[in-house]
C-alpha cells in the first residue's frame, strides 16, 4: 500500500496533477488534514489492500481500495469541493500509475462518490473511493 500511496502523491505533484493542485490549494494530506487546513484540500486514506494468489502461484495481484476525501470547512463551498472532486476523478480514474517498486498498476477505477455536508463546520466533503488492481 505504501508504494501505491507514494505513486498517488507523486502524480499529484507532477504535471499530470496540475488541474487537481489548482482546485485544491490546501494541498494533499495522508490520513488527516492539519487543524489549520484552509481552502479546499484532499485527504488520502489507504482503506484496504488484499493480496490474491491464483492456483498456488507465488505471484499474485493486490486489490487495493483508496479513499480521496476532498474537503473545505468554509460554509457555501460545495461547488468548490465538487469541482475538486471531479479533478480527482479526472486525475486518477483509468490512469495507470507508474514508479512503484515491486508492483505494477494494472487498473484504476473511481467507484463511489458522494457529497457530504459537515454539520459542525458547515463545510463540505466529497468522498471518492478508488479501486486499484496491482500486480507483483
Amino acid at each position: 500500500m505504501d508504494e501505491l500511496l507514494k505513486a498517488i502523491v507523486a502524480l499529484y505533484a507532477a504535471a499530470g496533477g496540475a488541474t487537481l493542485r489548482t482546485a485544491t490549494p490546501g494541498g494533499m494530506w495522508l490520513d488527516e488534514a492539519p487543524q489549520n487546513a484552509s481552502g479546499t484540500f484532499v485527504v488520502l486514506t489507504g482503506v484496504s489492500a488484499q493480496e490474491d494468489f491464483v492456483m498456488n502461484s507465488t505471484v499474485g495481484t493486490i486489490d487495493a481500495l483508496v479513499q480521496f476525501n476532498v474537503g473545505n470547512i468554509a460554509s457555501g463551498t460545495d461547488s468548490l469541493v465538487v469541482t475538486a472532486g471531479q479533478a480527482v476523478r479526472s486525475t486518477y480514474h483509468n490512469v495507470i500509475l507508474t514508479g512503484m517498486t515491486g508492483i505494477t498498476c494494472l487498473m484504476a477505477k473511481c467507484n463511489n462518490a458522494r457529497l457530504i455536508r459537515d454539520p459542525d463546520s458547515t463545510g463540505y466533503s466529497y468522498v471518492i473511493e478508488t479501486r486499484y488492481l496491482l500486480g507483483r
Side-chain angles (χ1 to χ4, degrees):
M1 180 69 78
D2 286 347
E3 288 295 317
L4 174 59
L5 296 176
K6 287 178 195 175
I8 290 169
V9 172
L11 179 56
Y12 180 82
T19 301
L20 179 56
R21 282 194 315 277
T22 300
T24 56
M28 180 180 273
W29 305 94
L30 185 59
D31 291 326
E32 183 179 16
Q35 288 278 341
N36 62 351
S38 63
T40 304
F41 54 87
V42 179
V43 176
L44 175 65
T45 306
V47 177
S48 65
Q50 183 175 353
E51 195 155 5
D52 184 26
F53 294 96
V54 179
M55 301 177 111
N56 296 325
S57 137
T58 57
V59 178
T61 59
I62 300 169
D63 185 10
L65 180 63
V66 174
Q67 180 175 294
F68 294 88
N69 189 333
V70 179
N72 192 319
I73 62 169
S75 180
T77 56
D78 53 330
S79 64
L80 294 173
V81 170
V82 169
T83 298
Q86 291 168 341
V88 166
R89 184 173 176 82
S90 67
T91 302
Y92 294 104
H93 180 70
N94 281 337
V95 172
I96 302 301
L97 297 173
T98 59
M100 294 181 279
T101 304
I103 57 175
T104 303
C105 184
L106 304 172
M107 180 194 77
K109 297 286 183 195
C110 292
N111 296 326
N112 302 322
R114 59 197 174 280
L115 181 66
I116 304 165
R117 184 167 185 264
D118 181 359
D120 296 326
S121 70
T122 69
Y124 290 85
S125 290
Y126 193 78
V127 179
I128 304 124
E129 293 176 353
T130 305
R131 185 162 302 282
Y132 291 91
L133 183 61
L134 309 171
R136 288 215 180 258

